[in-house]
Amino acid sequence: MHVHNKLLKESTFLGHVYWVTVSQEFSIYKLQNDIAHVLKLYFSCENDERRRAAELFQAFKERGRFVLILDDVWNQIDAEEIGIPLGMNGCKLVITSRSSEVCHWIGCQKIIKVNTLSEQEAWELFLKKLGRVELHPRVEGICKKMVKRCGGLPLALVTLAGSMRRVSDIHEWRDASEGLAESCMGRAGMEYVVLPVLLYSYDRLRDTMLKGCFLHCSLYPENCHIPRDELIENFISEQLVERSYRSFRAEIDQGHAILNQLERVCLLEKTSNGTDVKMHVLIRDMAIEIAKENPRYMVKAGLHLREIPDVQEWTEDLDKVSLMDNTIMEISPGTSPKCPRLSTLILSGNPLKRIPDRFFVHMCHLRTINLSLTKIQSLPNSISDLEDLRTLKLKFCNELESMPSLEKLKELRHLDLTGTSIEEVPKDMDSLTNLRFLYLRCSKLKVLPTEILHRLSRLKVLSLPIHICVPIEKVEALKKLEVLEGRLNSARDLNRLLKSRQRDKRLSFYRLSLSSKRYRDFDDVHILSCKRAQFEDGSIMESSSCKDGNLLPRDIQELIFDNSGLSSCLMDDFPILNNARDLKSCIIENEDKLECIMRLSFSNDQQSSGAPFQSLEILKLGNLRNFIGLFMWEAAAPLSPFTFSWLKKFKIGHCCKVKKLFPQSLIHNFRNLEELMVFNCVQMEEIIEGDKNEGGNSISADITFPRLLILHLRNLPQLKSICKGLIVCDSIRHILLEGIKKIKKVPLYLKLLNGQPSPPPSLILIWICREDKEWWESLDWDHQNANSVLERLVRYFDGQWWMAQDQPSNFGSGPVDN
């Protein structure tokens, strides 16, 4: 409305600014009538939509420049059918909608998301609508809690303020606040004003699958950041998605599509990390209101409960119960709720130690139990009689040491024992022939009876402890397997697995350690986000012993080499890396033989199209086979434009033979690089080696890292040059320099503002070892004031990183790794 009023005052449109509210029950006929009304146009033909569209088109054309605002659009609109001349010069169409899908369908050139109000804005709006300037201090404290509960939603704030406008009694304020804490929809006005508006978004989903997935999100606590991977796994386990008859990849894709669709209609919100979603507090309240009827939910998550709800709240018509993230330590002996229809029970995130034996007796149709992150020490025997049970999650129950018999759980599809303390696999696990998900990453598991895997032929997801090496022939036999986490004996086993997968289903996600003895443990990143291989302890085959070289999945995203036995050239061992388009992270450590990453050569055609060498003459200047650098130049496959093109993190350390890191000609491929870490490479002389001219001399040229955030250079005693020219990097946030005293110049480009150097706009901190302070202060810069300009960003640390002051929390992994 502010935009409308402002445009009316501008001479550009001569008052031709029109506002039309589009009803939720949309029709072309009605919208044409509404537009004609604001244009003061009378149709010559009342019933012919095409002729009416032509008359509207002509009326707009006669006005020349105009703005048409269509407010609250819920449906896809064809402007041509309505009579709006979108292609005409001077025509501006503005729409407001709660669905970004509508904006995309209409073809909006710019989409602006209107965010909720900040806390200060929300407070000011509340006071304005309350009609008061000052409040009693005790009332003000209550009001601020109530305002926060509205989550910055203007409609809720206005409605709440209106309902409290004449309230002065402190008791009434406290009562209103208490009711609001339980549910915003319980407050007078909210149920009749706010709920119907929010509910319309839910009703328009029209797809029971989407509605079921949306309501499932309400089982999490208020303001919870919910991992997308966890939600999607829940959707699949609880059969809320439809594609179980197809590949697991198809189910994952459908899960992401569902979450994206819920985000587009503003029923879910993206979080800043991009891997989680959250529900606005009022949207969650609406979902809980919906689920009080059919399906029937009891949601008391994150409320600091010390006991489970009273028995009268466990009604027979309950479908799902969520008590996650409370402080429930025990359930009274003899407790046995009568919930014959209950399908899902979530008790995760409680310090719960024991469950009474009869607790599950009257929950005969229970299909999902989640006891993850509890202190449960043993499971009640009654769980063994839940013959309809499909999902049992005991993730990170680190005090759980044994399991009851699983023989009767023939319908079980999903079993997660990650992080438990069991030493033996559960009894009768080989009877779980319908099992699809098996998570067995248990650090205390002594042995894995491999004959069990043979019986579990329907497995799609298999996660095994890294200290147990799984025989490759057992994995090969699992023809339906699409997700694998565990340890194989060597790169030869990986080759064999990948070749067998050419006939069977390909791996969609994987986290593989290739090592015969030594291993580093996996992190806790969800396996459904992982495509990683880590080669360790001499596991790599010599290229001469393998006709195809060491194979890798083509969609590999993360690679780790740690004392793996790499030869002098990485690309000789893994030629497939030249076209690994999805590779995002590469870590190389403790490789004593490594001299280079790749050997490059270029044809005349490649040179003329911008290849690194501008003249082939340079190849005649010497015996390049004797040149040692991270990239060696000799006859080999040409550099692909995709080599490292999606790489975000490159880390190399303790590689004693590497002298040159990157040729300058490769840097243009690093357009997505965010982290560069080089440490403890005792012969490293140059980070970015300059290209040579025809005379064999290095060419000084500036280079650009458009997305680099973190640069670490540590303990490189022979390093003489970072690069020949300047490094232009406006994105850089953190720099750490230690033990590079042969460097005379840090080639960081400092833009001149009013004749004075200015640090890169994103730069937060420069970390310098205190022992190197004198070296730092003696560096050469292109401008004499550069050092003083940068000094305010410098922090000195003593020896070990963790002794440094003001350690930034967002410094990525930090040098502690090293």
Side-chain angles (χ1 to χ4, degrees):
M1 188 62 75
H2 280 295
V3 171
H4 171 267
N5 294 343
K6 184 178 180 181
L7 291 177
L8 273 177
K9 298 174 185 176
E10 292 188 3
S11 59
T12 307
F13 299 103
L14 301 174
H16 300 316
V17 181
Y18 308 104
W19 179 289
V20 175
T21 300
V22 183
S23 66
Q24 293 178 349
E25 299 305 320
F26 164 79
S27 72
I28 293 176
Y29 184 85
K30 184 177 185 309
L31 184 54
Q32 286 177 331
N33 278 346
D34 292 342
I35 295 174
H37 177 74
V38 298
L39 292 177
K40 296 181 172 57
L41 172 68
Y42 299 95
F43 290 121
S44 62
C45 179
E46 193 63 28
N47 297 318
D48 189 332
E49 289 181 355
R50 288 188 178 182
R51 288 186 62 180
R52 286 154 57 96
E55 291 179 33
L56 282 174
F57 190 97
Q58 185 59 35
F60 278 123
K61 190 175 180 181
E62 290 172 358
R63 284 159 174 77
R65 302 179 68 85
F66 69 90
V67 177
L68 174 62
I69 299 174
L70 300 180
D71 182 40
D72 202 21
V73 180
W74 288 85
N75 298 278
Q76 298 171 348
I77 293 176
D78 189 322
E80 188 175 328
E81 286 186 7
I82 302 298
I84 304 169
L86 273 186
M88 192 181 83
N89 188 31
C91 163
K92 302 291 183 185
L93 175 64
V94 179
I95 71 167
T96 73
S97 177
R98 208 179 304 174
S99 169
S100 61
E101 286 184 327
V102 169
C103 303
H104 287 296
W105 196 91
I106 293 175
C108 295
Q109 294 175 339
K110 190 166 186 177
I111 298 175
I112 302 168
K113 183 179 179 182
V114 182
N115 294 311
T116 51
L117 302 180
S118 68
E119 285 192 26
Q120 182 61 33
E121 291 169 333
W123 177 242
E124 290 171 1
L125 176 62
F126 180 80
L127 289 180
K128 180 181 177 182
K129 296 301 178 181
L130 194 65
R132 301 186 196 179
V133 179
E134 293 185 11
L135 294 168
H136 187 280
R138 284 193 295 171
V139 173
E140 182 175 327
I142 294 171
C143 284
K144 286 188 174 179
K145 286 182 182 179
M146 297 173 75
V147 167
K148 189 173 182 180
R149 189 76 176 83
C150 292
L153 195 68
L155 179 62
L157 290 160
V158 170
T159 304
L160 179 63
S163 70
M164 303 297 294
R165 187 169 290 151
R166 296 184 181 181
V167 175
S168 57
D169 187 348
I170 184 68
H171 302 289
E172 194 170 349
W173 274 106
R174 280 202 296 259
D175 178 65
S177 178
E178 196 68 28
L180 201 66
E182 293 178 8
S183 172
C184 285
M185 299 309 165
R187 183 64 201 163
M190 291 286 197
E191 185 175 359
Y192 305 109
V193 179
V194 179
L195 181 58
V197 175
L198 301 180
L199 195 58
Y200 194 72
S201 292
Y202 172 78
D203 290 338
R204 284 190 59 81
L205 292 176
R206 297 194 179 114
D207 186 325
T208 55
M209 179 180 64
L210 275 173
K211 288 181 176 180
C213 291
F214 166 71
L215 293 178
H216 180 89
C217 298
S218 70
L219 297 173
Y220 286 81
E222 186 177 297
N223 294 319
C224 179
H225 286 209
I226 314 170
R228 289 176 68 101
D229 293 327
E230 181 179 316
L231 273 178
I232 291 169
E233 188 178 74
N234 292 348
F235 295 166
I236 295 170
S237 295
E238 299 199 20
Q239 295 185 304
L240 294 173
V241 295
E242 298 175 334
R243 296 180 180 167
S244 57
Y245 60 90
R246 294 173 60 185
S247 70
F248 183 66
R249 163 75 75 171
E251 293 177 301
I252 295 292
D253 290 343
Q254 187 176 29
H256 280 292
I258 288 169
L259 292 178
N260 291 343
Q261 195 164 345
L262 292 174
E263 286 175 6
R264 285 195 292 269
V265 296
C266 300
L267 290 175
L268 289 180
E269 302 173 29
K270 273 185 181 177
T271 58
S272 56
N273 64 11
T275 61
D276 299 341
V277 296
K278 67 176 182 177
M279 266 187 159
H280 188 280
V281 59
L282 294 183
I283 297 291
R284 180 176 178 272
D285 282 350
M286 176 194 72
I288 291 173
E289 285 292 316
I290 293 169
K292 283 181 178 178
E293 296 180 4
N294 187 25
R296 181 98 160 77
Y297 290 8
M298 178 168 66
V299 182
K300 294 180 180 289
L303 298 181
H304 307 289
L305 301 181
R306 295 191 173 191
E307 298 177 345
I308 66 170
D310 293 335
V311 66
Q312 60 266 26
E313 295 189 60
W314 295 81
T315 57
E316 293 191 6
D317 60 346
L318 276 177
D319 182 61
K320 297 189 179 186
V321 171
S322 174
L323 302 174
M324 73 166 72
D325 293 354
N326 283 297
T327 55
I328 302 169
M329 296 186 68
E330 62 178 5
I331 299 174
S332 300
T335 302
S336 183
K338 294 181 180 180
C339 301
R341 291 178 52 184
L342 191 65
S343 66
T344 298
L345 175 62
I346 304 174
L347 283 163
S348 59
N350 284 284
L352 183 65
K353 293 185 176 181
R354 189 170 51 256
I355 297 176
D357 278 342
R358 293 184 54 80
F359 187 73
F360 296 112
V361 167
H362 300 296
M363 301 179 186
C364 52
H365 292 298
L366 203 55
R367 293 159 68 99
T368 297
I369 299 176
N370 190 344
L371 294 170
S372 299
L373 290 164
T374 61
K375 294 185 177 181
I376 200 83
Q377 296 171 345
S378 61
L379 296 177
N381 290 325
S382 57
I383 207 169
S384 299
D385 297 322
L386 298 174
E387 296 184 8
D388 286 346
L389 193 65
R390 291 176 175 241
T391 299
L392 178 57
K393 294 187 176 184
L394 300 163
K395 191 172 183 179
F396 299 126
C397 295
N398 52 26
E399 296 186 25
L400 181 66
E401 296 181 351
S402 62
M403 293 278 293
S405 173
L406 304 179
E407 184 180 7
K408 294 182 182 179
L409 307 185
K410 306 292 186 185
E411 294 299 315
L412 197 65
R413 263 72 164 171
H414 187 130
L415 178 61
D416 193 342
L417 298 173
T418 302
T420 61
S421 294
I422 64 169
E423 297 182 359
E424 298 178 351
V425 296
K427 294 177 183 178
D428 306 309
M429 200 172 79
D430 56 351
S431 65
L432 306 179
T433 54
N434 282 312
L435 204 61
R436 307 290 200 273
F437 297 73
L438 176 58
Y439 294 93
L440 268 179
R441 266 185 62 193
C442 314
S443 61
K444 295 185 179 181
L445 189 68
K446 292 180 177 178
V447 65
L448 176 68
T450 53
E451 63 273 11
I452 288 179
L453 295 180
H454 178 70
R455 297 289 305 276
L456 307 180
S457 59
R458 296 188 178 184
L459 278 180
K460 292 183 177 183
V461 178
L462 177 61
S463 172
L464 297 173
I466 197 171
H467 64 276
I468 296 177
C469 189
V470 59
I472 184 60
E473 60 273 11
K474 300 298 181 182
V475 178
E476 280 183 309
L478 298 172
K479 304 298 185 183
K480 296 185 178 181
L481 194 68
E482 293 187 58
V483 180
L484 176 61
E485 179 177 52
R487 181 163 68 92
L488 301 178
N489 188 56
S490 68
R492 194 181 300 276
D493 281 358
L494 180 60
N495 277 24
R496 181 171 163 178
L497 176 63
L498 293 176
K499 287 179 180 178
S500 71
R501 291 287 129 181
Q502 292 173 1
R503 301 184 299 271
D504 307 319
K505 288 186 181 295
R506 294 183 182 273
L507 291 178
S508 299
F509 302 95
Y510 44 88
R511 181 158 40 203
L512 302 173
S513 171
L514 293 307
S515 173
S516 57
K517 307 177 213 170
R518 175 175 169 269
Y519 61 89
R520 66 166 79 189
D521 204 355
F522 294 135
D523 55 34
D524 292 325
V525 174
H526 201 291
I527 183 59
L528 299 187
S529 297
C530 211
K531 297 181 180 182
R532 179 196 299 172
Q534 51 194 56
F535 295 85
E536 302 165 294
D537 196 44
S539 59
I540 290 177
M541 298 178 291
E542 293 183 10
S543 55
S544 59
S545 67
C546 181
K547 179 179 66 175
D548 301 318
N550 294 278
L551 299 181
L552 289 171
R554 289 194 174 275
D555 60 354
I556 186 84
Q557 292 182 354
E558 298 178 68
L559 266 176
I560 298 174
F561 300 98
D562 188 353
N563 194 31
S564 64
L566 283 173
S567 67
S568 61
C569 178
L570 176 64
M571 288 298 191
D572 286 353
D573 291 330
F574 292 92
I576 194 172
L577 278 178
N578 199 40
N579 287 296
R581 302 185 181 190
D582 296 320
L583 187 65
K584 295 179 180 178
S585 174
C586 184
I587 298 174
I588 305 172
E589 296 183 28
N590 303 302
E591 298 294 345
D592 295 338
K593 299 177 186 177
L594 187 69
E595 299 174 3
C596 67
I597 293 295
M598 61 169 52
R599 312 177 197 273
L600 301 177
S601 68
F602 300 92
S603 67
N604 287 315
D605 290 342
Q606 289 165 325
Q607 296 159 40
S608 63
S609 63
F613 290 115
Q614 297 303 308
S615 172
L616 194 61
E617 293 298 316
I618 190 165
L619 293 177
K620 300 178 182 179
L621 294 176
N623 182 4
L624 293 177
R625 291 182 63 89
N626 294 326
F627 175 76
I628 295 180
L630 194 60
F631 289 79
M632 296 178 75
W633 309 93
E634 72 170 41
L639 172 67
S640 164
F642 303 109
T643 305
F644 303 129
S645 61
W646 286 101
L647 195 68
K648 291 188 174 183
K649 178 177 182 177
F650 187 90
K651 177 178 173 181
I652 182 169
H654 298 283
C655 295
C656 58
K657 289 189 177 181
V658 175
K659 290 187 177 182
K660 314 282 184 179
L661 195 52
F662 305 124
Q664 184 172 316
S665 47
L666 186 72
I667 296 302
H668 74 277
N669 278 21
F670 289 165
R671 51 190 171 271
N672 290 297
L673 191 67
E674 295 179 359
E675 299 180 35
L676 176 57
M677 304 180 185
V678 188
F679 59 97
N680 295 91
C681 295
V682 295
Q683 292 193 48
M684 183 75 71
E685 296 176 355
E686 200 166 13
I687 302 299
I688 301 169
E689 184 192 13
D691 291 336
K692 305 288 196 302
N693 59 21
E694 294 183 5
N697 298 315
S698 293
I699 302 171
S700 178
D702 296 345
I703 61 173
T704 300
F705 286 108
R707 291 186 172 86
L708 190 66
L709 303 175
I710 296 173
L711 175 65
H712 289 190
L713 301 177
R714 304 187 66 216
N715 300 327
L716 308 171
Q718 300 303 318
L719 189 67
K720 299 173 184 176
S721 171
I722 296 176
C723 73
K724 300 298 182 186
L726 292 174
I727 295 177
V728 180
C729 186
D730 288 345
S731 58
I732 192 74
R733 293 183 184 175
H734 297 282
I735 297 173
L736 185 141
L737 306 174
E738 178 189 5
I740 55 171
K741 292 184 178 180
K742 287 193 176 183
I743 290 286
K744 303 300 181 186
K745 181 177 182 179
V746 175
L748 184 64
Y749 172 70
L750 303 178
K751 187 177 181 180
L752 293 179
L753 295 177
N754 300 320
Q756 293 298 315
S758 174
S762 300
L763 186 58
I764 298 172
L765 287 174
I766 302 174
W767 288 88
I768 306 294
C769 180
R770 194 173 298 279
E771 294 178 2
D772 298 333
K773 182 177 181 181
E774 186 177 340
W775 162 80
W776 169 257
E777 293 173 346
S778 68
L779 287 173
D780 294 330
W781 298 91
D782 289 340
H783 196 285
Q784 61 180 6
N785 293 335
N787 205 306
S788 59
V789 167
L790 294 174
E791 189 61 29
R792 64 182 178 83
L793 302 174
V794 175
R795 300 289 184 276
Y796 294 100
F797 64 95
D798 295 315
Q800 299 293 342
W801 171 262
W802 51 86
M803 296 174 64
Q805 299 300 310
D806 304 319
Q807 180 177 345
S809 60
N810 59 343
F811 202 107
S813 56
V816 172
D817 291 351
N818 305 337

